[in-house]
Amino acid sequence: MNTTTQNIKVYPCYINGEWVNTEQGDYIDVENPANNQVFARMYCSTPADVDTALETAEKAQFKWQMLPATERANYLYAITEQLHKERDHFAKLLVMEQGKTLAEAYGEVDDTIRYINYSAEAGRRIEGSIFPSDMPNEQLSIHKVPYGVTVGLMAFNYPLALIGRKIGPALVTGNTMVIKPSELTPITASEFCRLVHQVGLPKGVINLVMGWGHTVGKQLVESPITKLVSMTGSTRAGQAIYQSAAQNVAGLVLELGGKAPFIVMDDAEIEKAVEAAVISRYANCGQVCICNEMLFVHEKIADEFTEKVIERTKQITVGDPMTNVNMGPNVSTKGLSRVHELVMENVEQGAELVLGGKKPEGDYFENGNWYEPTILTNVKKDHATLQNELFGPVLPIMKVSGYEEAKATLNEREEGLSAYLFTQNHKTIMKSINELQVGTIFINKGIVGYIQGFHSGHKTSGIGGEDGIYGIEQYLQKRAIYMNYE
């Protein structure tokens, strides 16, 4: 499937069951974040390629829809069976392409299998409704039907899991999907389509195109063929998609940026909260949308808690992500530069840099997007690291007088993806469920994402959502049937 150009693999797109690659097209170089060396290239789709992908997806859709859901599910099971067989290959590819540690990469492969299998299992559980009619000899029923051609736009932080998260529910409900990965991490998607090809998925049910968001992504979203767009990425990108999709009134599932506060009250179980705060910050080098992006700690325990967080963070090992370390590099040079600029700006604003703030020392770290686990104290709510989503291994710590101040600081923000709360006060817990304006609240618990849950954002953090039965519902429209049988 791969050709070689100057000893660098060139990966093709996948359209209508065929590999699309041409020497005349443009390519996107893919770097290993650990050393910034180009290890692969991906063919960049032309406008004609994108049109073909959409047209073949449209042609395949109705026939796919008319298969029994269990047959559609069997194709998904076949894909995950192949993925399980190549678990090692995909885990190592994720390390090379995205920079996460090998342990995190294995977890991503396993999560992908679970996402897809959950959707396959849901094929037998798609439900409609029957309601009494107002007239005799009539029936009112609500059927659930697919949208048709859907588009999946993936972020770079979980290149494989996001594919599983989107194609699983899309396909089992009778939709077809054209996927476009991030330009930073496209190789995993091409390799995933190799599995799709191996199991004999009907042509056009899954198509893969590649390119930049403002060109290929825009063309996908604005096409009249596209009936639903599922996108994981930044708020700015989501707003552009929202605007572009309005032309055809396409359905939207948008999971966008977040700035999760980790709120610790003076009655919290300190050791449990410290462990959760550190893991929830530095997982995947801080590149998780629901990560602990800022620590709000009660002033009564702030000094003690901060000291414990610093000591626990010092235990994080950074190095070759193929080895048994806790944290690898950031995925991009540009993203890491932005993170460092925010840290330096915050120091100028009066924050105290108590840990990190630079590249690790040593020859191994000379190249690559490396950054030490970093902690800032004396941070105020108008400071740079609190005003901006970091998406990097930096933890700003702010003292708060209590729950009410933490809540107010959170709720005045534009985004509302997730939040953490550690307290033993049941009244505070119950209030938080009603009052914190976010899609997910972790109460006395660290970062997690169960497949049967629901992952969604409030306010500018998104619309719709993914996972669980509510995630399946995002890919189904309702059709009311008024039937007279007199």
Side-chain angles (χ1 to χ4, degrees):
M1 119 180 192
N2 298 325
T3 60
T4 303
T5 303
Q6 297 178 344
N7 298 319
I8 295 176
K9 285 186 176 180
V10 180
Y11 287 78
C13 295
Y14 186 69
I15 299 174
N16 199 31
E18 298 179 355
W19 298 109
V20 178
N21 201 354
T22 173
E23 296 299 327
Q24 297 177 351
D26 292 329
Y27 295 85
I28 291 177
D29 288 336
V30 182
E31 296 181 351
N32 184 334
N35 54 29
N36 293 138
Q37 292 182 0
V38 175
F39 75 94
R41 308 177 84 193
M42 182 80 180
Y43 169 62
C44 197
S45 303
T46 65
D49 291 332
V50 177
D51 284 340
T52 301
L54 289 165
E55 290 163 2
T56 56
E58 184 179 40
K59 183 178 179 181
Q61 191 274 319
F62 186 72
K63 187 175 180 180
W64 176 251
Q65 173 186 340
M66 295 310 293
L67 290 178
T70 52
E71 286 192 36
R72 298 196 296 265
N74 286 337
Y75 281 107
L76 294 176
Y77 286 131
I79 292 171
T80 58
E81 184 178 349
Q82 291 299 119
L83 184 55
H84 180 74
K85 289 178 181 178
E86 297 195 35
R87 182 173 180 261
D88 289 344
H89 168 71
F90 276 90
K92 291 175 182 176
L93 178 59
L94 285 168
V95 174
M96 288 184 64
E97 184 172 47
Q98 201 275 333
K100 54 172 48 77
T101 67
L102 188 59
E104 290 173 322
Y106 276 119
E108 180 171 350
V109 176
D110 295 342
D111 282 346
T112 306
I113 293 171
R114 283 191 283 265
Y115 282 133
I116 297 174
N117 283 348
Y118 180 92
S119 295
E121 293 162 1
R124 279 195 169 94
R125 303 188 184 99
I126 298 172
E127 300 177 351
S129 302
I130 299 176
F131 295 105
S133 173
D134 290 354
M135 303 293 289
N137 302 315
E138 288 187 358
Q139 177 179 285
L140 168 60
S141 58
I142 310 297
H143 292 243
K144 294 179 182 176
V145 297
Y147 276 82
V149 176
T150 64
V151 165
L153 305 175
M154 321 301 173
F156 60 76
N157 54 339
Y158 288 94
L160 185 62
L162 289 174
I163 293 175
R165 207 173 203 174
K166 296 181 190 301
I167 67 107
L171 267 58
V172 81
T173 51
N175 301 279
T176 55
M177 178 168 272
V178 180
I179 62 177
K180 189 198 88 65
S182 165
E183 61 275 6
L184 294 171
T185 54
I187 306 307
T188 301
S190 185
E191 284 283 272
F192 180 84
C193 285
R194 177 173 55 80
L195 306 186
V196 168
H197 191 74
Q198 286 175 1
V199 305
L201 192 74
K203 292 182 178 181
V205 174
I206 289 182
N207 290 317
L208 165 67
V209 297
M210 185 57 211
W212 305 99
H214 66 277
T215 54
V216 171
K218 192 171 189 288
Q219 184 179 351
L220 288 170
V221 172
E222 292 185 348
S223 170
I225 294 175
T226 299
K227 297 299 182 280
L228 179 140
V229 178
S230 176
M231 178 265 195
T232 303
S234 70
T235 297
R236 185 176 63 178
Q239 289 167 333
I241 289 169
Y242 206 116
Q243 187 174 30
S244 295
Q247 181 176 336
N248 297 307
V249 198
L252 293 173
V253 179
L254 303 177
E255 194 265 279
L256 309 178
K259 186 72 179 173
F262 194 104
I263 303 167
V264 184
M265 294 293 95
D266 56 340
D267 61 349
E269 293 183 43
I270 290 182
E271 298 302 328
K272 181 180 179 181
V274 166
E275 186 69 12
V278 173
I279 292 175
S280 300
R281 171 63 281 185
Y282 301 105
N284 199 23
C285 197
Q287 299 165 113
V288 187
C289 58
I290 56 174
C291 257
N292 163 21
E293 277 264 339
M294 48 189 177
L295 180 59
F296 296 167
V297 58
H298 197 290
E299 58 192 10
K300 289 183 180 179
I301 62 166
D303 292 342
E304 175 191 2
F305 193 85
T306 299
E307 194 59 40
K308 289 180 179 294
V309 166
I310 293 170
E311 291 306 311
R312 176 63 182 87
T313 302
K314 287 179 178 178
Q315 298 173 22
I316 294 174
T317 54
V318 181
D320 182 355
M322 286 288 188
T323 64
N324 188 28
V325 296
N326 305 129
M327 197 176 85
N330 192 279
V331 71
S332 76
T333 303
K334 182 179 179 181
L336 186 59
S337 296
R338 173 185 168 276
V339 169
H340 183 65
E341 288 171 3
L342 290 172
V343 169
M344 293 299 99
E345 181 181 347
N346 206 163
V347 171
E348 292 178 1
Q349 291 171 323
E352 183 179 355
L353 181 62
V354 296
L355 190 69
K358 57 182 176 60
K359 267 193 174 188
E361 296 179 357
D363 294 342
Y364 179 78
F365 303 107
E366 283 300 313
N367 299 309
N369 308 318
W370 298 98
Y371 208 68
E372 292 181 347
T374 297
I375 294 177
L376 293 160
T377 60
N378 195 36
V379 179
K380 309 302 181 185
K381 70 178 184 178
D382 60 343
H383 282 183
T385 58
L386 260 63
Q387 288 298 306
N388 300 275
E389 185 178 16
L390 290 161
F391 229 58
V394 176
L395 179 59
I397 301 178
M398 184 177 88
K399 295 180 182 180
V400 294
S401 58
Y403 166 76
E404 292 299 326
E405 182 183 357
K407 177 192 72 175
T409 304
L410 164 61
N411 286 348
E412 68 187 17
R413 302 186 65 89
E414 293 183 351
E415 76 286 302
L417 190 60
S418 57
Y420 301 78
L421 174 64
F422 275 73
T423 180
Q424 298 303 304
N425 188 315
H426 70 279
K427 292 182 180 179
T428 301
I429 289 172
M430 295 307 296
K431 286 175 64 178
S432 73
I433 294 171
N434 290 321
E435 295 177 349
L436 300 186
Q437 298 170 6
V438 296
T440 301
I441 306 174
F442 301 94
I443 299 175
N444 295 321
K445 186 171 181 61
I447 190 169
V448 73
Y450 297 147
I451 57 173
Q452 69 272 27
F454 187 54
H455 183 61
S456 66
H458 293 183
K459 300 190 286 188
T460 62
S461 287
I463 184 172
E466 296 178 303
D467 303 343
I469 58 173
Y470 297 108
I472 298 289
E473 286 290 323
Q474 304 300 308
Y475 291 86
L476 289 164
Q477 300 183 98
K478 283 70 174 175
R479 180 172 292 160
I481 309 297
Y482 293 86
M483 181 173 64
N484 181 285
Y485 52 87
E486 186 176 6

